[in-house]
Amino acid sequence: MTKIKENSTSNQNKEISALACPVTYVMNKIGGHWKSIIIYQLKEGPKRYSELKRAIPAVTEKMLIQSLKQLEADNLLIRKAEPVVPPFVTYFLSSSGKELVPLMHLMAEWAIHDSRREEKTKAFSEQVLMMD
Amino acid sequence: MTKIKENSTSNQNKEISALACPVTYVMNKIGGHWKSIIIYQLKEGPKRYSELKRAIPAVTEKMLIQSLKQLEADNLLIRKAEPVVPPFVTYFLSSSGKELVPLMHLMAEWAIHDSRREEKTKAFSEQVLMMD
DNA sequence: ACAAGTACTTACCCCAGAGTATGTATCATG
DNA sequence: CATGATACATACTCTGGGGTAAGTACTTGT
């Protein structure tokens, strides 16, 4: 009853240090459906806001800027706005952001590997069902 | 007004293929706060349910089995229950799961790198504030 | 007889992340 | 003068991921 869960860190700060849990740290930065997709889109070089929108049709404008803002706040990308009209804004990866690219390639590699394996498993179990 | 957003894919299937977006694919499998932590815990070898619970005190039992179930459904880990009483259940990484380990190490590496950089930036901006 | 350990299950609630829809400022062009 | 393009902002809603709390079944130890 009176067992109070004692959090040594209490709610001091939500910012979990990388040492405490690196995965959570990374997730806090590139978690959410869109951030990683945006980074992926920027890996080859800078893109304009509208280019990003076109490159990722499924994202809403709200989600797009929201994600961009967060990524910028986390220094993963840099926003460069030229004071002209119509506005010309480009986004590109910072050095931290660039260092994420190999990570994402590894993810992609694993994903392809794993999806193949999944298909095989499915095919196999279908065969089993057929034989039954 | 009548502009209906036409989703070419509609809601055909939520299962996004690895080819469409590898990152989303990976996120669907190891996203959520606990899954990756569990995998991290299992990277050295099998563990019992209660061992996992003790190793990750912050997780609730509900979240723990929920995550374990999902990981099992995605073939990232294997559950082995010995029919004894009291129950003896162990969890260990499948081959797919094992292949995630290097990925997570890369994540950890990046996280440490990045958190260092963050500290420096903060220290620097504090200096600037001091001088102001 | 009762607590403790094992591995769960179930009901309920809350809130942040994501989606929908619309509004804004500026200028060029027809 | 109205439309389109650019790069956003903002209000409202909704869903599901996660948290809290309690219950279950079975046996050993005291």
Side-chain angles (χ1 to χ4, degrees), chain B residues 62-93:
Chain B
K62 176 197 158 192
M63 278 299 104
L64 184 53
I65 33 138
Q66 196 177 98
S67 308
L68 286 170
K69 287 279 154 73
Q70 289 172 15
L71 288 168
E72 197 196 350
D74 287 335
N75 314 310
L76 295 189
L77 57 76
I78 295 164
R79 194 189 102 115
K80 187 178 164 197
E82 265 139 279
V84 295
V85 59
F88 193 95
V89 181
T90 49
Y91 293 91
F92 56 98
L93 295 182

Side-chain angles (χ1 to χ4, degrees), chain B residues 9-23:
Chain B
T9 55
S10 84
N11 52 357
Q12 209 166 354
N13 57 350
K14 194 181 160 68
E15 299 239 338
I16 300 158
S17 79
L19 310 158
C21 177
V23 183

Side-chain angles (χ1 to χ4, degrees), chain A residues 5 48-50 61-62 65 69 79 86-89 91:
Chain A
K5 191 179 283 178
R48 295 184 65 175
Y49 174 82
S50 47
E61 300 203 19
K62 177 199 159 192
I65 33 139
K69 285 280 154 75
R79 194 189 101 115
F88 193 95
V89 181
Y91 294 90

Side-chain angles (χ1 to χ4, degrees), chain A residues 8-132:
Chain A
S8 54
T9 55
S10 83
N11 53 357
Q12 209 166 352
N13 56 348
K14 193 180 163 70
E15 302 238 339
I16 299 157
S17 78
L19 310 158
C21 177
V23 183
T24 305
Y25 182 90
V26 173
M27 288 301 180
N28 282 338
K29 302 237 164 180
I30 64 165
H33 262 68
W34 304 113
K35 290 190 196 170
S36 41
I37 297 176
I38 293 170
I39 294 171
Y40 196 83
Q41 287 294 330
L42 292 178
K43 77 192 169 85
E44 305 296 355
K47 272 191 179 154
R48 295 184 65 175
Y49 174 82
S50 47
E51 284 181 292
L52 282 171
K53 179 75 192 71
R54 270 189 296 271
I56 318 171
V59 75
T60 63
E61 300 203 19
K62 177 199 159 192
M63 278 298 104
L64 183 53
I65 33 139
Q66 195 177 98
S67 308
L68 287 169
K69 285 280 154 75
Q70 287 172 15
L71 288 168
E72 196 195 352
D74 286 334
N75 313 310
L76 295 189
L77 56 77
I78 295 163
R79 194 189 101 115
K80 188 177 162 198
E82 264 139 279
V84 295
V85 60
F88 193 95
V89 181
T90 49
Y91 294 90
F92 54 96
L93 296 182
S94 70
S95 49
S96 307
K98 276 180 203 155
E99 286 166 20
L100 276 172
V101 174
L103 189 59
M104 305 195 39
H105 273 122
L106 237 191
M107 289 171 92
E109 215 174 289
W110 182 87
I112 290 162
H113 233 99
D114 188 70
S115 65
R116 288 244 181 77
R117 191 158 27 202
E118 212 169 53
E119 268 171 37
K120 273 185 200 157
T121 310
K122 208 192 288 181
F124 177 71
S125 54
E126 267 161 21
Q127 263 197 2
V128 170
L129 283 173
M130 296 283 283
M131 292 165 67
D132 190 34

Side-chain angles (χ1 to χ4, degrees), chain B residues 1-96:
Chain B
M1 268 300 168
T2 51
K3 187 166 62 174
I4 295 162
K5 192 177 283 176
E6 37 193 279
N7 251 347
S8 53
T9 55
S10 84
N11 52 357
Q12 209 166 354
N13 57 350
K14 194 181 160 68
E15 299 239 338
I16 300 158
S17 79
L19 310 158
C21 177
V23 183
T24 305
Y25 183 90
V26 173
M27 288 300 181
N28 282 339
K29 303 235 166 185
I30 63 165
H33 262 66
W34 302 114
K35 288 190 197 171
S36 41
I37 297 176
I38 291 169
I39 294 171
Y40 195 83
Q41 287 294 329
L42 292 179
K43 77 190 168 85
E44 304 297 354
K47 273 191 179 155
R48 298 183 62 173
Y49 174 83
S50 48
E51 284 180 291
L52 281 170
K53 179 75 193 74
R54 270 190 295 272
I56 317 168
V59 75
T60 64
E61 302 202 16
K62 176 197 158 192
M63 278 299 104
L64 184 53
I65 33 138
Q66 196 177 98
S67 308
L68 286 170
K69 287 279 154 73
Q70 289 172 15
L71 288 168
E72 197 196 350
D74 287 335
N75 314 310
L76 295 189
L77 57 76
I78 295 164
R79 194 189 102 115
K80 187 178 164 197
E82 265 139 279
V84 295
V85 59
F88 193 95
V89 181
T90 49
Y91 293 91
F92 56 98
L93 295 182
S94 70
S95 50
S96 307

